[in-house]
Amino acid sequence: MRKITILQGHPDNDPARLCRALAAAYAEGARAGGHSVKEVDIARLDVPFLRTQNDFELGLMPEGLAEAGEALAWADHVVLVFPLWLGTLPALAKAFLEQVLRPGTAFRYNDGGVPEKLLTGRSVRIVVTMGMPAFIYRWWYGAHGLRGLERNILSFVGLGPIRRSLFGGVGTANEEKRRLWLARMASLGREGR
């Protein structure tokens, strides 16, 4: 059985959002599969933006994010759910990652110049909703925002392997398609992947 932390990265806390339904289906499936689950709703947190390198490297994680940081450290599998905005994750979700993946928490600078990864041994599933068809995002745009997130943030701190679930055309998806998407997320949750 796995310890799973679900990071809900949609900045709108409207329960009608597809991201919220997908995360809930995953959580329900994971619990049904016997996994331990913690959920972090980024929209409900006070996430300040970092403005200087000094604050990032030497400042403390805001007190209101400590529990979320602990949930991330506790997990052996992380699920990050967000809508695609301007080709990548929303600013609030990025600000959250900058705050909780700080030096000393997620990685450590060393004398050799290559930072030590402190979050190794944790797999990740990225779940993204988008208006455009997912194959267009992958093929035409090269999934550039996801590749940057995976390589420059998640892998940098040791998170991996990283898997993706992309849900495209959400604005035109009928109820049957949405039902299939939710069933897929519940199945992934039961399997803990």
Coordinates of all heavy atoms in Angstrom, one line a residue, residues 60-153:
L60 N 12.3 31.2 5.2 CA 11.6 30.0 5.7 C 10.3 29.8 4.9 O 9.7 30.7 4.5 CB 11.3 30.2 7.2 CG 12.5 30.4 8.1 CD1 12.0 30.7 9.5 CD2 13.4 29.1 8.1
M61 N 9.9 28.5 4.8 CA 8.7 28.2 4.2 C 7.6 28.9 5.1 O 7.6 28.8 6.3 CB 8.4 26.7 4.2 CG 7.2 26.3 3.5 SD 6.8 24.5 3.7 CE 8.3 23.8 3.1
P62 N 6.6 29.6 4.5 CA 5.6 30.2 5.3 C 4.9 29.2 6.2 O 4.6 28.0 5.8 CB 4.6 30.7 4.2 CG 5.5 30.9 3.0 CD 6.5 29.8 3.0
E63 N 4.6 29.6 7.4 CA 4.0 28.8 8.4 C 2.7 28.1 7.9 O 2.5 26.9 8.1 CB 3.6 29.6 9.6 CG 3.5 28.7 10.9 CD 3.3 29.6 12.1 OE1 4.3 30.3 12.4 OE2 2.2 29.6 12.7
G64 N 1.9 28.8 7.1 CA 0.7 28.2 6.6 C 0.8 27.1 5.5 O -0.1 26.4 5.2
L65 N 2.1 26.9 5.0 CA 2.4 25.9 4.1 C 3.1 24.7 4.7 O 3.4 23.7 4.0 CB 3.2 26.4 2.9 CG 2.5 27.6 2.1 CD1 3.4 28.0 1.0 CD2 1.2 27.1 1.6
A66 N 3.4 24.8 5.9 CA 4.2 23.7 6.6 C 3.5 22.3 6.5 O 4.1 21.3 6.2 CB 4.5 24.1 8.0
E67 N 2.2 22.3 6.7 CA 1.5 21.0 6.7 C 1.5 20.4 5.3 O 1.6 19.2 5.1 CB 0.0 21.2 7.2 CG -0.7 20.0 7.3 CD -2.1 20.2 7.9 OE1 -2.3 21.1 8.8 OE2 -3.0 19.4 7.6
A68 N 1.4 21.3 4.3 CA 1.4 20.8 2.9 C 2.8 20.3 2.6 O 3.0 19.3 1.9 CB 1.1 22.0 1.9
G69 N 3.9 21.0 3.1 CA 5.2 20.5 2.9 C 5.4 19.2 3.5 O 6.1 18.3 3.0
E70 N 4.9 19.0 4.7 CA 5.0 17.7 5.4 C 4.3 16.6 4.7 O 4.7 15.5 4.6 CB 4.4 17.8 6.8 CG 5.3 18.7 7.7 CD 4.6 19.1 9.0 OE1 3.5 18.7 9.3 OE2 5.2 19.9 9.7
A71 N 3.1 16.9 4.1 CA 2.3 15.9 3.3 C 3.2 15.5 2.1 O 3.1 14.3 1.7 CB 1.0 16.5 2.9
L72 N 3.9 16.4 1.5 CA 4.7 16.1 0.3 C 5.9 15.2 0.8 O 6.2 14.2 0.1 CB 5.2 17.3 -0.3 CG 6.0 17.2 -1.6 CD1 5.1 16.5 -2.7 CD2 6.5 18.5 -2.1
A73 N 6.5 15.5 1.9 CA 7.6 14.7 2.4 C 7.2 13.3 2.8 O 7.9 12.3 2.7 CB 8.3 15.4 3.5
W74 N 6.0 13.2 3.4 CA 5.4 12.0 3.8 C 5.1 11.0 2.7 O 5.3 9.8 2.9 CB 4.1 12.3 4.6 CG 3.2 11.1 4.9 CD1 3.2 10.3 5.9 CD2 2.0 10.7 4.1 NE1 2.2 9.4 5.8 CE2 1.5 9.6 4.7 CE3 1.4 11.2 2.9 CZ2 0.3 9.0 4.3 CZ3 0.3 10.6 2.4 CH2 -0.2 9.5 3.1
A75 N 4.7 11.5 1.6 CA 4.3 10.6 0.5 C 5.4 9.8 -0.2 O 6.5 10.2 -0.2 CB 3.6 11.5 -0.6
D76 N 5.0 8.7 -0.8 CA 5.9 8.0 -1.7 C 5.3 8.0 -3.1 O 5.9 7.6 -4.0 CB 6.1 6.5 -1.2 CG 4.9 5.7 -1.1 OD1 3.9 5.8 -1.8 OD2 4.9 4.8 -0.1
H77 N 4.1 8.7 -3.3 CA 3.6 8.9 -4.6 C 2.8 10.3 -4.5 O 2.1 10.5 -3.5 CB 2.6 7.8 -5.0 CG 2.0 8.0 -6.4 ND1 2.8 8.0 -7.5 CD2 0.7 8.2 -6.8 CE1 2.0 8.2 -8.6 NE2 0.7 8.3 -8.1
V78 N 3.1 11.1 -5.5 CA 2.4 12.4 -5.5 C 1.6 12.6 -6.8 O 2.1 12.2 -7.8 CB 3.5 13.6 -5.5 CG1 2.9 14.9 -5.6 CG2 4.4 13.4 -4.2
V79 N 0.4 13.1 -6.6 CA -0.5 13.4 -7.8 C -0.7 14.9 -7.8 O -1.1 15.5 -6.8 CB -1.8 12.7 -7.6 CG1 -2.7 13.0 -8.8 CG2 -1.6 11.2 -7.5
L80 N -0.3 15.5 -8.9 CA -0.4 17.0 -9.1 C -1.4 17.2 -10.2 O -1.3 16.8 -11.3 CB 0.9 17.6 -9.5 CG 1.0 19.1 -9.8 CD1 0.4 19.9 -8.7 CD2 2.4 19.5 -10.2
V81 N -2.5 17.9 -9.8 CA -3.7 18.1 -10.7 C -3.8 19.6 -11.0 O -3.8 20.4 -10.0 CB -5.0 17.6 -10.1 CG1 -6.1 17.7 -11.1 CG2 -4.9 16.1 -9.7
F82 N -3.9 20.0 -12.3 CA -4.0 21.4 -12.6 C -4.6 21.6 -14.0 O -4.4 20.7 -14.8 CB -2.7 22.2 -12.4 CG -1.6 21.7 -13.3 CD1 -1.4 22.2 -14.6 CD2 -0.7 20.8 -12.8 CE1 -0.4 21.8 -15.4 CE2 0.4 20.4 -13.6 CZ 0.5 20.9 -14.9
P83 N -5.2 22.8 -14.3 CA -5.6 23.1 -15.6 C -4.4 23.7 -16.4 O -3.5 24.4 -15.7 CB -6.7 24.1 -15.4 CG -6.3 24.8 -14.2 CD -5.6 23.8 -13.3
L84 N -4.3 23.5 -17.6 CA -3.3 24.1 -18.5 C -3.7 25.6 -18.7 O -4.7 25.9 -19.3 CB -3.2 23.4 -19.8 CG -2.0 23.8 -20.6 CD1 -0.7 23.2 -20.0 CD2 -2.2 23.2 -22.1
W85 N -2.8 26.5 -18.2 CA -3.0 27.9 -18.4 C -1.8 28.5 -19.1 O -0.7 28.4 -18.6 CB -3.3 28.6 -17.1 CG -4.6 28.4 -16.5 CD1 -5.6 27.5 -16.9 CD2 -5.2 29.1 -15.4 NE1 -6.7 27.6 -16.1 CE2 -6.5 28.6 -15.1 CE3 -4.7 30.1 -14.5 CZ2 -7.3 29.0 -14.1 CZ3 -5.5 30.5 -13.5 CH2 -6.8 30.0 -13.3
L86 N -2.0 29.1 -20.3 CA -0.9 29.6 -21.1 C 0.2 28.6 -21.3 O 1.4 28.9 -21.2 CB -0.4 30.9 -20.5 CG -1.3 32.1 -20.5 CD1 -0.7 33.3 -19.8 CD2 -1.7 32.5 -21.9
G87 N -0.1 27.4 -21.5 CA 0.8 26.3 -21.8 C 1.5 25.6 -20.6 O 2.3 24.7 -20.8
T88 N 1.2 26.0 -19.4 CA 1.8 25.4 -18.2 C 0.9 25.5 -17.0 O -0.3 25.8 -17.2 CB 3.2 26.1 -18.0 OG1 3.9 25.3 -17.0 CG2 3.0 27.5 -17.5
L89 N 1.4 25.2 -15.8 CA 0.5 25.3 -14.7 C 0.2 26.7 -14.2 O 1.0 27.6 -14.5 CB 1.2 24.5 -13.5 CG 2.4 25.0 -12.8 CD1 2.6 24.2 -11.6 CD2 3.6 24.7 -13.7
P90 N -0.9 26.9 -13.6 CA -1.3 28.3 -13.1 C -0.2 28.8 -12.1 O 0.5 28.1 -11.4 CB -2.6 28.1 -12.4 CG -3.1 26.8 -13.0 CD -2.0 25.9 -13.3
A91 N -0.1 30.1 -12.1 CA 0.9 30.8 -11.3 C 0.8 30.4 -9.8 O 1.8 30.3 -9.1 CB 0.7 32.3 -11.4
L92 N -0.4 30.2 -9.3 CA -0.6 29.9 -7.9 C 0.1 28.5 -7.6 O 0.7 28.3 -6.6 CB -2.1 29.9 -7.5 CG -2.3 29.6 -6.0 CD1 -1.8 30.7 -5.1 CD2 -3.8 29.4 -5.7
A93 N -0.1 27.6 -8.5 CA 0.5 26.2 -8.3 C 2.0 26.3 -8.4 O 2.7 25.7 -7.6 CB -0.1 25.3 -9.4
K94 N 2.5 27.1 -9.3 CA 4.0 27.3 -9.5 C 4.5 28.0 -8.2 O 5.6 27.6 -7.7 CB 4.3 28.2 -10.7 CG 5.7 28.6 -10.9 CD 6.6 27.5 -11.4 CE 7.9 27.9 -11.9 NZ 8.7 28.8 -11.2
A95 N 3.8 29.0 -7.7 CA 4.2 29.7 -6.5 C 4.3 28.7 -5.3 O 5.2 28.7 -4.5 CB 3.3 30.9 -6.1
F96 N 3.3 27.8 -5.2 CA 3.3 26.8 -4.2 C 4.5 25.9 -4.3 O 5.2 25.7 -3.3 CB 2.0 25.9 -4.3 CG 2.0 24.7 -3.4 CD1 1.6 24.8 -2.1 CD2 2.3 23.5 -3.9 CE1 1.6 23.7 -1.3 CE2 2.3 22.4 -3.1 CZ 1.9 22.5 -1.8
L97 N 4.8 25.4 -5.5 CA 6.0 24.6 -5.6 C 7.3 25.3 -5.3 O 8.2 24.7 -4.6 CB 6.1 24.0 -7.1 CG 5.0 23.1 -7.5 CD1 5.1 22.7 -9.0 CD2 4.9 21.8 -6.6
E98 N 7.4 26.6 -5.6 CA 8.6 27.4 -5.2 C 8.7 27.5 -3.7 O 9.8 27.4 -3.2 CB 8.5 28.8 -5.8 CG 8.7 28.8 -7.3 CD 8.5 30.1 -8.0 OE1 8.1 31.1 -7.3 OE2 8.8 30.3 -9.2
Q99 N 7.6 27.6 -3.0 CA 7.6 27.7 -1.6 C 7.9 26.4 -0.9 O 8.7 26.4 0.1 CB 6.3 28.2 -1.0 CG 6.0 29.7 -1.4 CD 6.8 30.6 -0.5 OE1 7.7 30.3 0.3 NE2 6.6 31.9 -0.8
V100 N 7.4 25.3 -1.3 CA 7.6 24.0 -0.6 C 8.8 23.2 -1.1 O 9.3 22.4 -0.4 CB 6.3 23.1 -0.6 CG1 5.2 23.8 0.1 CG2 6.0 22.7 -2.0
L101 N 9.3 23.5 -2.3 CA 10.5 22.8 -2.8 C 11.7 23.6 -2.6 O 12.5 23.8 -3.5 CB 10.2 22.4 -4.3 CG 9.1 21.5 -4.5 CD1 8.9 21.2 -6.0 CD2 9.1 20.2 -3.7
R102 N 11.9 24.1 -1.4 CA 13.1 25.0 -1.1 C 14.4 24.2 -0.8 O 14.3 23.1 -0.5 CB 12.8 25.8 0.1 CG 11.7 26.9 0.0 CD 11.4 27.5 1.3 NE 10.5 28.6 1.2 CZ 10.9 29.8 1.2 NH1 12.1 30.2 1.2 NH2 10.0 30.8 1.0
P103 N 15.5 25.0 -0.9 CA 16.7 24.4 -0.5 C 16.6 23.9 1.0 O 16.0 24.6 1.8 CB 17.7 25.5 -0.7 CG 17.1 26.4 -1.6 CD 15.7 26.3 -1.4
G104 N 17.2 22.8 1.3 CA 17.1 22.2 2.6 C 15.9 21.3 2.8 O 15.9 20.5 3.7
T105 N 14.9 21.5 2.0 CA 13.6 20.7 2.1 C 13.5 19.7 1.0 O 13.3 18.6 1.2 CB 12.4 21.6 2.1 OG1 12.5 22.6 3.2 CG2 11.1 20.8 2.2
A106 N 13.7 20.3 -0.3 CA 13.6 19.4 -1.4 C 14.9 19.1 -2.1 O 15.1 18.1 -2.8 CB 12.7 20.1 -2.5
F107 N 15.9 20.0 -1.9 CA 17.3 19.7 -2.4 C 18.3 20.5 -1.5 O 17.9 21.3 -0.7 CB 17.4 20.2 -3.9 CG 17.3 21.7 -4.1 CD1 18.4 22.4 -4.2 CD2 16.1 22.3 -4.2 CE1 18.3 23.8 -4.4 CE2 16.0 23.6 -4.4 CZ 17.1 24.4 -4.5
R108 N 19.5 20.1 -1.7 CA 20.6 20.7 -0.8 C 21.7 21.1 -1.8 O 22.2 20.3 -2.6 CB 21.0 19.7 0.2 CG 22.1 20.2 1.1 CD 22.6 19.2 2.2 NE 21.4 18.8 3.0 CZ 21.0 17.6 3.1 NH1 21.6 16.6 2.5 NH2 19.9 17.3 3.9
Y109 N 22.2 22.3 -1.6 CA 23.4 22.7 -2.3 C 24.6 22.0 -1.7 O 24.6 21.8 -0.5 CB 23.6 24.3 -2.2 CG 22.5 25.1 -3.0 CD1 21.6 25.9 -2.3 CD2 22.4 25.0 -4.4 CE1 20.7 26.6 -3.0 CE2 21.5 25.7 -5.0 CZ 20.6 26.6 -4.3 OH 19.7 27.3 -5.0
N110 N 25.6 21.7 -2.5 CA 26.8 21.1 -2.0 C 28.0 21.7 -2.7 O 27.9 22.5 -3.7 CB 26.8 19.6 -2.1 CG 26.7 19.1 -3.5 OD1 27.3 19.7 -4.5 ND2 25.9 18.1 -3.8
D111 N 29.2 21.4 -2.3 CA 30.4 22.0 -2.8 C 30.7 21.5 -4.2 O 31.4 22.2 -4.9 CB 31.6 21.6 -1.9 CG 31.5 22.2 -0.5 OD1 30.8 23.2 -0.4 OD2 32.0 21.6 0.4
G112 N 30.1 20.4 -4.7 CA 30.4 19.9 -6.0 C 29.7 20.7 -7.1 O 29.9 20.4 -8.3
G113 N 28.8 21.6 -6.8 CA 28.0 22.3 -7.8 C 26.7 21.7 -8.2 O 25.9 22.3 -8.8
V114 N 26.6 20.3 -8.0 CA 25.4 19.6 -8.4 C 24.5 19.4 -7.1 O 25.0 18.7 -6.2 CB 25.7 18.3 -9.1 CG1 24.4 17.5 -9.4 CG2 26.5 18.5 -10.3
P115 N 23.3 20.0 -7.1 CA 22.5 19.9 -5.9 C 22.2 18.4 -5.6 O 21.9 17.7 -6.5 CB 21.3 20.7 -6.2 CG 21.7 21.7 -7.2 CD 22.7 20.9 -8.1
E116 N 22.1 18.1 -4.3 CA 21.6 16.8 -3.8 C 20.1 16.8 -3.8 O 19.5 17.7 -3.2 CB 22.2 16.5 -2.4 CG 21.7 15.2 -1.8 CD 22.2 15.1 -0.4 OE1 22.9 15.9 0.1 OE2 21.7 14.1 0.2
K117 N 19.5 15.8 -4.4 CA 18.1 15.7 -4.5 C 17.6 15.0 -3.2 O 18.0 13.9 -2.9 CB 17.7 14.8 -5.7 CG 18.2 15.4 -7.0 CD 17.9 14.5 -8.2 CE 18.5 15.1 -9.4 NZ 18.0 14.4 -10.6
L118 N 16.7 15.7 -2.5 CA 16.2 15.2 -1.2 C 14.8 14.5 -1.3 O 14.4 13.9 -0.3 CB 16.1 16.3 -0.2 CG 17.4 17.0 0.1 CD1 17.2 18.2 1.1 CD2 18.5 16.1 0.6
L119 N 14.2 14.4 -2.4 CA 12.9 13.8 -2.6 C 12.9 12.6 -3.5 O 11.9 12.2 -4.0 CB 11.8 14.8 -3.1 CG 11.6 16.0 -2.1 CD1 10.6 17.0 -2.7 CD2 11.1 15.5 -0.7
T120 N 14.0 11.9 -3.5 CA 14.1 10.7 -4.3 C 13.2 9.6 -3.8 O 12.9 9.6 -2.6 CB 15.5 10.2 -4.5 OG1 16.0 10.0 -3.1 CG2 16.4 11.2 -5.2
G121 N 12.8 8.7 -4.6 CA 12.0 7.5 -4.2 C 10.5 7.8 -4.2 O 9.7 7.0 -3.6
R122 N 10.1 8.9 -4.7 CA 8.7 9.3 -4.8 C 8.3 9.4 -6.3 O 8.8 10.2 -7.0 CB 8.4 10.6 -4.1 CG 8.7 10.6 -2.6 CD 8.8 12.0 -2.1 NE 8.9 12.0 -0.6 CZ 10.1 11.8 0.0 NH1 11.2 11.6 -0.7 NH2 10.1 11.8 1.3
S123 N 7.3 8.6 -6.7 CA 6.8 8.7 -8.0 C 5.8 9.9 -8.1 O 5.3 10.3 -7.1 CB 6.2 7.4 -8.4 OG 5.1 7.0 -7.5
V124 N 5.5 10.3 -9.4 CA 4.6 11.4 -9.6 C 3.6 11.1 -10.7 O 4.1 10.5 -11.7 CB 5.4 12.7 -9.9 CG1 4.4 13.9 -10.2 CG2 6.3 13.1 -8.8
R125 N 2.4 11.5 -10.6 CA 1.5 11.5 -11.7 C 1.0 13.0 -11.9 O 0.5 13.6 -10.9 CB 0.2 10.6 -11.5 CG -0.8 10.8 -12.6 CD -1.7 9.7 -12.8 NE -1.1 8.4 -13.0 CZ -0.7 7.9 -14.2 NH1 -0.8 8.7 -15.3 NH2 -0.1 6.7 -14.3
I126 N 1.2 13.5 -13.1 CA 0.7 14.8 -13.4 C -0.6 14.7 -14.1 O -0.7 13.9 -15.1 CB 1.7 15.6 -14.3 CG1 3.1 15.7 -13.5 CG2 1.2 17.0 -14.6 CD1 4.2 16.3 -14.4
V127 N -1.7 15.3 -13.7 CA -3.0 15.3 -14.3 C -3.3 16.7 -14.8 O -3.4 17.6 -13.9 CB -4.0 14.8 -13.3 CG1 -5.4 14.7 -13.9 CG2 -3.7 13.4 -12.7
V128 N -3.5 16.8 -16.1 CA -3.7 18.1 -16.7 C -5.0 18.2 -17.5 O -5.2 17.3 -18.3 CB -2.5 18.5 -17.6 CG1 -2.7 20.0 -18.1 CG2 -1.2 18.4 -16.8
T129 N -5.8 19.2 -17.3 CA -7.0 19.4 -18.1 C -6.7 20.6 -19.0 O -5.9 21.5 -18.7 CB -8.2 19.7 -17.3 OG1 -8.0 21.0 -16.6 CG2 -8.5 18.6 -16.3
M130 N -7.2 20.6 -20.2 CA -7.0 21.7 -21.2 C -8.2 21.8 -22.2 O -8.9 20.8 -22.4 CB -5.7 21.4 -21.9 CG -5.6 20.2 -22.8 SD -4.0 19.7 -23.4 CE -3.2 19.1 -21.9
G131 N -8.3 22.9 -22.7 CA -9.3 23.1 -23.7 C -9.0 22.5 -25.1 O -9.9 22.0 -25.8
M132 N -7.8 22.6 -25.5 CA -7.4 22.0 -26.8 C -7.3 20.5 -26.7 O -7.1 20.0 -25.6 CB -6.0 22.6 -27.2 CG -4.8 22.1 -26.5 SD -3.3 22.8 -27.1 CE -3.1 24.2 -26.1
P133 N -7.3 19.8 -27.8 CA -7.1 18.4 -27.8 C -5.7 18.1 -27.2 O -4.7 18.8 -27.6 CB -7.2 18.0 -29.2 CG -8.1 19.0 -29.9 CD -7.7 20.3 -29.1
A134 N -5.5 17.1 -26.4 CA -4.3 16.8 -25.8 C -3.2 16.4 -26.8 O -2.0 16.8 -26.7 CB -4.4 15.6 -24.8
F135 N -3.6 15.8 -27.9 CA -2.5 15.4 -28.9 C -2.0 16.7 -29.6 O -0.8 16.7 -30.0 CB -3.1 14.5 -30.0 CG -3.9 15.1 -31.0 CD1 -3.4 15.5 -32.2 CD2 -5.3 15.2 -30.9 CE1 -4.2 16.1 -33.2 CE2 -6.1 15.7 -31.8 CZ -5.5 16.2 -33.0
I136 N -2.8 17.8 -29.7 CA -2.2 19.0 -30.3 C -1.2 19.6 -29.3 O -0.1 20.1 -29.7 CB -3.4 20.0 -30.5 CG1 -4.3 19.5 -31.6 CG2 -2.8 21.4 -30.8 CD1 -3.8 19.5 -33.0
Y137 N -1.5 19.6 -28.0 CA -0.6 20.1 -27.0 C 0.7 19.3 -27.1 O 1.8 19.9 -27.0 CB -1.2 20.0 -25.6 CG -0.3 20.6 -24.5 CD1 0.1 21.9 -24.5 CD2 0.3 19.7 -23.6 CE1 1.0 22.4 -23.5 CE2 1.1 20.2 -22.6 CZ 1.4 21.6 -22.6 OH 2.3 22.0 -21.6
R138 N 0.6 18.0 -27.2 CA 1.9 17.2 -27.2 C 2.6 17.3 -28.6 O 3.8 17.5 -28.6 CB 1.5 15.7 -27.0 CG 1.2 15.3 -25.6 CD 1.1 13.8 -25.4 NE 0.1 13.2 -26.3 CZ -1.2 12.9 -26.0 NH1 -1.6 13.2 -24.8 NH2 -2.0 12.4 -26.8
W139 N 1.9 17.3 -29.7 CA 2.5 17.3 -31.0 C 2.9 18.7 -31.4 O 4.1 18.9 -31.7 CB 1.6 16.6 -32.0 CG 2.1 16.7 -33.4 CD1 3.1 15.9 -33.9 CD2 1.7 17.5 -34.4 NE1 3.3 16.2 -35.2 CE2 2.5 17.2 -35.6 CE3 0.7 18.5 -34.6 CZ2 2.3 17.8 -36.8 CZ3 0.5 19.1 -35.8 CH2 1.3 18.8 -36.9
W140 N 2.0 19.6 -31.5 CA 2.3 20.9 -32.1 C 3.1 21.8 -31.1 O 4.1 22.4 -31.5 CB 1.0 21.7 -32.4 CG 1.2 23.0 -33.0 CD1 1.0 24.2 -32.3 CD2 1.6 23.3 -34.3 NE1 1.4 25.3 -33.1 CE2 1.8 24.7 -34.4 CE3 2.0 22.6 -35.4 CZ2 2.2 25.4 -35.5 CZ3 2.4 23.2 -36.5 CH2 2.5 24.6 -36.6
Y141 N 2.7 21.8 -29.8 CA 3.4 22.6 -28.8 C 4.5 21.8 -28.1 O 5.3 22.4 -27.3 CB 2.4 23.1 -27.8 CG 1.4 24.1 -28.4 CD1 0.2 23.7 -28.7 CD2 1.8 25.4 -28.6 CE1 -0.7 24.6 -29.3 CE2 1.0 26.3 -29.2 CZ -0.3 25.9 -29.5 OH -1.2 26.8 -30.1
G142 N 4.6 20.6 -28.3 CA 5.7 19.8 -27.7 C 5.6 19.6 -26.2 O 6.5 19.3 -25.6
A143 N 4.4 19.9 -25.7 CA 4.1 19.8 -24.2 C 5.2 20.5 -23.5 O 5.7 20.1 -22.4 CB 4.0 18.3 -23.8
H144 N 5.6 21.7 -24.0 CA 6.8 22.4 -23.4 C 6.6 22.7 -21.9 O 7.5 22.6 -21.2 CB 7.0 23.7 -24.2 CG 5.9 24.7 -24.1 ND1 4.7 24.5 -24.9 CD2 5.8 25.8 -23.4 CE1 4.0 25.5 -24.6 NE2 4.6 26.3 -23.7
G145 N 5.4 23.1 -21.5 CA 5.2 23.5 -20.1 C 5.3 22.3 -19.2 O 5.9 22.4 -18.1
L146 N 4.8 21.1 -19.7 CA 5.0 19.9 -18.9 C 6.4 19.5 -18.8 O 6.9 19.0 -17.8 CB 4.1 18.8 -19.4 CG 2.6 18.9 -19.1 CD1 1.9 17.7 -19.7 CD2 2.3 19.1 -17.7
R147 N 7.1 19.5 -20.0 CA 8.5 19.1 -20.0 C 9.3 20.0 -19.0 O 10.2 19.5 -18.3 CB 9.0 19.2 -21.4 CG 8.5 18.0 -22.2 CD 9.2 17.8 -23.6 NE 10.2 18.7 -23.9 CZ 10.1 19.5 -25.0 NH1 9.0 19.5 -25.8 NH2 11.0 20.4 -25.3
G148 N 9.1 21.3 -19.0 CA 9.8 22.2 -18.1 C 9.5 21.8 -16.6 O 10.4 21.8 -15.8
L149 N 8.2 21.6 -16.3 CA 7.8 21.2 -15.0 C 8.5 19.9 -14.6 O 9.1 19.8 -13.5 CB 6.3 21.0 -14.9 CG 5.7 20.4 -13.6 CD1 6.0 21.2 -12.4 CD2 4.2 20.2 -13.8
E150 N 8.5 18.9 -15.4 CA 9.1 17.6 -15.1 C 10.6 17.7 -14.9 O 11.1 17.2 -14.0 CB 8.8 16.6 -16.2 CG 7.3 16.3 -16.3 CD 6.9 15.5 -17.6 OE1 7.7 15.3 -18.4 OE2 5.7 15.2 -17.7
R151 N 11.3 18.3 -15.9 CA 12.7 18.3 -15.9 C 13.3 19.3 -14.9 O 14.2 19.0 -14.1 CB 13.3 18.6 -17.3 CG 14.8 18.6 -17.4 CD 15.3 19.0 -18.8 NE 14.8 20.4 -19.1 CZ 14.0 20.6 -20.2 NH1 13.6 19.6 -21.0 NH2 13.6 21.8 -20.4
N152 N 12.8 20.5 -14.9 CA 13.4 21.6 -14.2 C 12.9 21.8 -12.7 O 13.5 22.5 -11.9 CB 13.2 23.0 -14.9 CG 13.7 22.9 -16.3 OD1 14.7 22.2 -16.6 ND2 13.1 23.7 -17.2
I153 N 11.8 21.1 -12.4 CA 11.3 21.2 -11.0 C 11.2 19.9 -10.4 O 11.9 19.6 -9.4 CB 9.9 21.9 -11.0 CG1 10.0 23.4 -11.5 CG2 9.3 21.9 -9.6 CD1 8.7 24.1 -11.7

